[in-house]
Amino acid sequence: MKSKMASLVGATLMVALTLTACGSGSGSGNASSAGSESTSPTGSYDPNATIEIGSLYEPQNLDNTGGGGQGVTEAFNGNVYEGLFRLGDDGKVENLLAKDYKVSPDGLTYTFTLRDGVTFHSGDPLTSADVKYSIEKVLAKDSQSARKSSFAGVKSITTPDDSTVTVKLATKSISFVYNLSYVWIINDQAKNLTTSEDGTGPYKLGTWKRGSSLSLDLFAGYWGTPPTNKGVVFHYFTEATALNNALLTNAVDIVTSEQSPDALAQFSGNEDYKVNNGHSTTKLLLAFNDRVKPFDNALVRKAVTSAIDNRKLLTSIWGDYGTLIGSMVPPTDPWYEDLTTVNPYDVELAKKQLSEAGYANGFGFTLDTPNYDPHPTAATFIKSELAKVGITVTINVITADEWYTKVFKDHDFAATLQEHVNDRDVVWYGNPDFYWGYDNPEVTKLVNQAEQSDTTDEQAALLKKANQQIAADAASDWLYLYPQIVVASSSLSGYPLNGLNSQFYAYTIKKS
Amino acid sequence: MAVYLLRRVVFLVVSLFLASVLLFLLLRLLPGDPANSLLSIGATPEQLAAARHQVGSDLPLPEQFVSWLGRLMTLDLGTSFVSTLPVGPEIASRLAVTVPLTLLSFLLAVVVALPVGFVAAYRSGTWYGSLLGGLSQLGIAVPAFWVGMLLITVFSLRLRVLPAGGFPRDDWADPADALTSLALPVVTIALVMSASLIRYVRSATLDVLGSDYLRTFRALGSSFTGAMWRHGLRNAAVPVVSILGIELATTFLGAVVVESVFALPGLGSMLIKGIAQHDYPVIQGVLFVSTLGVLVIGFLADLAQRIMDSRLRGTVSGNAR
């Protein structure tokens, strides 16, 4: 009896540790995309309805500068906290807490005027000191904000009066205003932001029951247009099946992002539900280590890209959903163009390029593959595709955690699979130190020039050129762009379709 | 008895200590850095250093160990790397789901298994006796998550009589609501568990039915019911109680899977989340509490056996049988 109990204790530990060894994160960073909100089918709706939202992304904590993850962006961005600017679901940047702003002729000084009559949930009025505090919080030493590096050029922030903020930059940055749309304006008196909040948004935090749900209640003192519902509750699930069951049993009204393609059939054929096919900005990449042989040779990278039938891969995983992109830029970025023909699927071409590059008999490499979907599936597919041109792939399955250390930090890999979720992230190809080691001085120059542009048109033109170059060099193989699928009850309208960077504005959702 | 209790308490404390040491060391043998779960692609080296400092993975291993042990001594399970909140209170709130789930499943399983197991043994020669035995065999082979999904399909998606998952936001404020949420998970665990319990009850009863003392009693004129009541059941209960202890502990652990199928905010889903995020304090805290639970259940089962069986009571060491 006792020995059995002891072995049971041992087994507990072993099971847990085995789970730990196999455990993985759900990827990293934020998802994103652009588009428009779903249109309202009818004018009538129930203003007293509470919207029940189902999601797989529970916040880790409530502070997005403390590694809160994509869940806190989804629930809080725009709903609880607001920025000086708002990034619409269509990807356009609009004024929000900033009434207006001016840029000095040299492009180095930004002067923002704040909107009047804005108060925080605690009742404190919004002042320039709060804005300064909020930006500095992102820049702070212990900040885990994913946006930190985009503000590296901020030299000083001053507050001439209560409604004016002046930011001086070390170098010109055309993306500065866009980047500010990700910075939450937080009351500088706020305490304990990991479990509570003090924002200016239309909702305030109701209750957060960890592991289960988070509710947002109306904020009576909101400065802007009040929400078209009485509040929202995010219900969190760890399993896509459980989430879909909740939608099927009306326990939730809407699913922010459907991650289980197989489950779509039960909703798409049912008039009680609407399956929305939006644009995401999540790209699945076969990233080569461009520093090491044989991937330091662009011809080899092009050959590998041409040998893989991306269309077939996308269809087998997502059916009719999702898009082929042929480069790092999704259709919702301002510098998008269709580059899918630069390295077409063409096995003969691939063979020719391989022999030109001196690998007529092929070669072998190890593919570091994150252990969560869809990477293992994609890896197996790539392995069989490349076998056709004599390339032998060894699949090495690793956890998200190992990926971060081995691939991202130590650059110890030949090729890897990874999803890159943010919008406007083609600029990483201008950084030769980034994990994939793509180093083309021309591209680096273009990316830097683009950031120094005087106009957004100029910026777009330069980044288009950069994007064409990375596609021509096959810097990576951009396998496909994920769809952004929002499934909702037919009684719902006004919800965001594209969920840029995981944001999910809930205040325009109507329930009839 | 006092000496026995003392010995058991010492055994419990020593086991807990060893388990926690083992847990700490094995977690640290795994590849990777817990700081990584705080970072996104594109993090700067400076952010990486800050994250490592935040979770303490920049400290030497012995230092980390001493600090974990020090906190444990004061019953402090530490703070989560990821949420920066204390682990203890969160575990307590999760236990409000896991403990009722485990106990209700266990009770239901026992209530089903005892009579069914007895009938399966007493009527082993009949067709329904064999059927019960066969069904229990089948039940053992079926995984809990599959049963859970089947029940959801039937009772939630088709009949729409019970929720497919989740737990009330106000916990037990409305007990009827909470019990409704637990209904399917409880049945899931109980079904799987009673299957194996039936096997034990059946074989323990068969042993007793074939025993010499029962035959002797009946030969002395006692009715079957009387003999069974006075001696048979009691003798059959001893091995069953020992199995019950193990089964209860297994239920507790098995709740991990079922909680995930039914989206219940219990200890199991906390563990899975903690593992995904490499959140050592959460993993350690949950496993520490689970280990404690398993050990306490074992202790209670042992005690119950001893109270029922005078032969065990006589031994001082608690090891002899």
Side-chain angles (χ1 to χ4, degrees):
Chain A
M1 166 64 197
K2 194 172 297 167
S3 63
K4 276 181 195 161
M5 196 55 78
S7 59
L8 196 55
V9 171
T12 321
L13 298 178
M14 285 326 295
V15 165
L17 290 163
T18 315
L19 280 170
T20 315
C22 317
S24 75
S26 54
S28 30
N30 303 323
S32 73
S33 135
S36 62
E37 280 151 15
S38 69
T39 48
S40 168
T42 55
S44 70
Y45 67 92
D46 177 8
N48 288 318
T50 299
I51 313 296
E52 314 283 339
I53 302 171
S55 170
L56 292 172
Y57 309 108
E58 184 175 10
Q60 296 169 1
N61 66 60
L62 300 183
D63 183 356
N64 75 341
T65 62
Q70 76 185 84
V72 70
T73 304
E74 184 175 270
F76 272 26
N77 194 51
N79 296 325
V80 172
Y81 286 115
E82 297 180 306
L84 290 177
F85 301 91
R86 172 191 191 267
L87 185 67
D89 200 40
D90 54 0
K92 290 206 180 73
V93 179
E94 306 150 15
N95 291 353
L96 192 61
L97 293 179
K99 190 165 66 185
D100 206 358
Y101 73 96
K102 282 199 224 37
V103 191
S104 65
D106 62 1
L108 293 178
T109 307
Y110 282 74
T111 308
F112 303 95
T113 312
L114 303 183
R115 196 178 284 281
D116 299 324
V118 178
T119 55
F120 288 100
H121 299 154
S122 59
D124 254 24
L126 167 74
T127 67
S128 52
D130 300 311
V131 176
K132 179 171 157 48
Y133 168 81
S134 303
I135 301 176
E136 283 173 347
K137 198 166 176 305
V138 172
L139 295 170
K141 200 165 175 290
D142 60 349
S143 156
Q144 290 302 342
S145 167
R147 292 279 149 184
K148 186 177 178 178
S149 56
S150 25
F151 290 102
V154 172
K155 211 164 70 179
S156 71
I157 307 169
T158 50
T159 53
D161 62 59
D162 267 2
S163 58
T164 312
V165 183
T166 307
V167 181
K168 285 204 162 55
L169 303 178
T171 49
K172 274 170 75 176
S173 172
I174 185 80
S175 306
F176 185 56
V177 164
Y178 159 81
N179 289 333
L180 279 176
S181 70
Y182 290 108
V183 177
W184 294 350
I185 304 306
I186 291 163
N187 188 354
D188 59 355
Q189 305 295 317
K191 302 272 186 300
N192 204 3
L193 290 169
T194 48
T195 52
S196 62
E197 54 90 8
D198 199 5
T200 61
Y203 300 106
K204 56 186 191 212
L205 176 65
T207 50
W208 180 24
K209 190 167 154 38
R210 291 185 60 84
S212 176
S213 67
L214 184 151
S215 68
L216 303 180
D217 303 334
L218 281 191
F219 170 49
Y222 185 54
W223 62 270
T225 319
T228 53
N229 52 58
K230 211 180 93 197
V232 296
V233 181
F234 285 87
H235 298 268
Y236 297 111
F237 297 82
T238 48
E239 238 214 7
T241 314
L243 174 58
N244 291 325
N245 287 341
L247 187 62
L248 283 171
T249 53
N250 300 325
V252 301
D253 301 316
I254 183 167
V255 167
T256 57
S257 172
E258 183 58 71
Q259 296 298 323
S260 163
D262 298 337
L264 289 172
Q266 58 194 336
F267 300 110
S268 55
N270 188 334
E271 60 180 23
D272 293 340
Y273 300 95
K274 190 156 190 287
V275 179
N276 300 279
N277 190 7
H279 289 294
S280 93
T281 50
T282 304
K283 292 130 291 200
L284 182 65
L285 258 64
L286 166 58
F288 309 111
N289 188 344
D290 296 5
R291 295 176 194 86
V292 300
K293 274 187 184 315
F295 297 121
D296 55 348
N297 184 342
L299 212 50
V300 174
R301 301 194 299 255
K302 287 171 86 72
V304 169
T305 303
S306 284
I308 300 170
D309 186 351
N310 293 343
R311 169 61 63 192
K312 200 167 145 193
L313 175 66
L314 175 61
T315 314
S316 67
I317 294 179
W318 279 104
D320 294 334
Y321 299 93
T323 323
L324 295 185
I325 38 175
S327 85
M328 192 61 170
V329 180
T332 44
D333 279 358
W335 30 91
Y336 169 77
E337 63 186 315
D338 186 353
L339 297 176
T340 46
T341 51
V342 177
N343 296 297
Y345 170 59
D346 185 341
V347 178
E348 289 314 309
L349 175 67
K351 283 181 182 158
K352 206 175 121 232
Q353 285 168 332
L354 275 181
S355 60
E356 264 178 61
Y359 293 98
N361 297 319
F363 60 90
F365 72 92
T366 300
L367 180 59
D368 284 323
T369 306
N371 60 355
Y372 51 92
D373 281 339
H375 305 99
T377 314
T380 314
F381 179 80
I382 289 167
K383 181 179 173 142
S384 71
E385 291 284 276
L386 294 185
K388 291 181 203 157
V389 293
I391 300 174
T392 315
V393 179
T394 309
I395 297 173
N396 177 35
V397 177
I398 56 178
T399 63
D401 189 7
E402 282 176 276
W403 187 91
Y404 208 92
T405 305
K406 181 175 189 279
V407 178
F408 184 76
K409 223 177 78 200
D410 298 342
H411 306 165
D412 171 22
F413 72 108
T416 185
L417 287 170
Q418 185 56 272
E419 45 197 9
H420 281 256
V421 294
N422 287 309
D423 59 342
R424 304 194 176 193
D425 57 5
V426 63
V427 294
W428 287 119
Y429 286 94
N431 178 0
D433 297 328
F434 205 59
Y435 79 91
W436 49 49
Y438 174 68
D439 187 2
N440 183 329
E442 174 67 15
V443 171
T444 305
K445 205 175 93 192
L446 285 169
V447 168
N448 288 336
Q449 273 177 355
E451 194 52 27
Q452 313 260 331
S453 301
D454 292 321
T455 65
T456 48
D457 288 346
E458 193 185 329
Q459 176 195 23
L462 288 164
L463 285 180
K464 260 186 192 171
K465 272 175 85 175
N467 193 36
Q468 287 158 4
Q469 188 59 51
I470 63 160
D473 287 342
S476 307
D477 183 3
W478 302 274
L479 297 166
Y480 62 78
L481 183 72
Y482 285 50
Q484 165 73 14
I485 302 175
V486 174
V487 183
S489 150
S490 316
S491 61
L492 240 55
S493 62
Y495 45 85
L497 296 180
N498 295 317
L500 261 118
N501 265 330
S502 301
Q503 63 187 18
F504 195 83
Y505 299 136
Y507 43 80
T508 49
I509 302 182
K510 297 172 180 173
K511 193 174 179 179
S512 60
Chain B
M1 197 67 175
V3 177
Y4 163 73
L5 282 177
L6 190 69
R7 287 185 69 107
R8 284 308 305 240
V9 169
V10 170
F11 169 76
L12 196 85
V13 170
V14 170
S15 307
L16 266 184
F17 174 78
L18 290 178
S20 62
V21 171
L22 196 67
L23 197 57
F24 178 91
L25 292 176
L26 288 179
L27 274 181
R28 265 68 182 182
L29 283 180
L30 297 173
D33 187 331
N36 292 348
S37 58
L38 294 177
L39 300 164
S40 53
I41 297 174
T44 61
E46 191 191 6
Q47 281 178 307
L48 183 70
R52 283 175 58 83
H53 182 70
Q54 185 182 328
V55 306
S57 62
D58 56 341
L59 296 174
L61 204 60
E63 214 168 308
Q64 293 181 42
F65 181 64
V66 169
S67 110
W68 143 254
L69 211 60
R71 277 198 303 266
L72 204 61
M73 292 300 171
T74 59
L75 292 180
D76 175 1
L77 294 176
T79 53
S80 157
F81 287 162
V82 176
S83 71
T84 67
L85 297 174
V87 171
E90 195 184 338
I91 289 183
S93 92
R94 303 292 186 119
L95 284 175
V97 175
T98 303
V99 168
L101 173 66
T102 308
L103 290 181
L104 288 172
S105 312
F106 178 70
L107 282 179
L108 181 61
V110 170
V111 165
V112 171
L114 289 184
V116 172
F118 180 77
V119 170
Y122 185 48
R123 293 281 183 246
S124 60
T126 67
W127 66 268
Y128 58 89
S130 313
L131 182 71
L132 288 176
L135 281 180
S136 66
Q137 196 70 49
L138 185 71
I140 292 169
V142 169
F145 74 88
W146 188 81
V147 174
M149 279 157 56
L150 202 71
L151 291 176
I152 289 175
T153 308
V154 174
F155 292 97
S156 306
L157 301 181
R158 287 196 193 271
L159 301 176
R160 304 255 165 170
V161 286
L162 287 166
F167 199 68
R169 288 175 50 218
D170 47 8
D171 282 326
W172 288 88
D174 180 356
D177 227 17
L179 284 175
T180 311
S181 306
L182 286 185
L184 287 184
V186 163
V187 171
T188 303
I189 302 177
L191 269 182
V192 173
M193 193 180 155
S194 61
S196 60
L197 264 183
I198 287 170
R199 307 288 305 169
Y200 289 119
V201 174
R202 183 175 174 269
S203 70
T205 314
L206 279 175
D207 277 354
V208 171
L209 287 176
S211 67
D212 292 342
Y213 63 81
L214 201 74
R215 202 187 49 212
T216 309
F217 260 94
R218 297 212 56 190
L220 291 173
S222 169
S223 72
F224 173 78
T225 319
M228 259 328 258
W229 202 244
R230 199 156 144 58
H231 298 276
L233 285 182
R234 189 151 156 177
N235 278 296
V238 173
V240 168
V241 164
S242 107
I243 289 305
L244 284 182
I246 292 172
E247 282 292 315
L248 179 56
T250 314
T251 313
F252 187 63
L253 303 173
V256 171
V257 176
V258 172
E259 280 173 10
S260 150
V261 171
F262 288 96
L264 291 173
L267 215 53
S269 44
M270 183 177 176
L271 177 65
I272 288 178
K273 195 82 183 246
I275 287 168
Q277 294 171 337
H278 237 126
D279 199 341
Y280 290 166
V282 167
I283 304 173
Q284 284 168 184
V286 172
L287 290 181
F288 183 78
V289 171
S290 311
T291 309
L292 179 68
V294 170
L295 287 170
V296 168
I297 292 166
F299 169 59
L300 293 178
D302 219 18
L303 203 64
Q305 256 182 305
R306 197 162 259 283
I307 289 167
M308 278 187 300
D309 192 336
S310 51
R311 285 168 299 178
L312 295 177
R313 233 173 298 160
T315 60
V316 182
S317 72
N319 288 328
R321 283 287 140 95

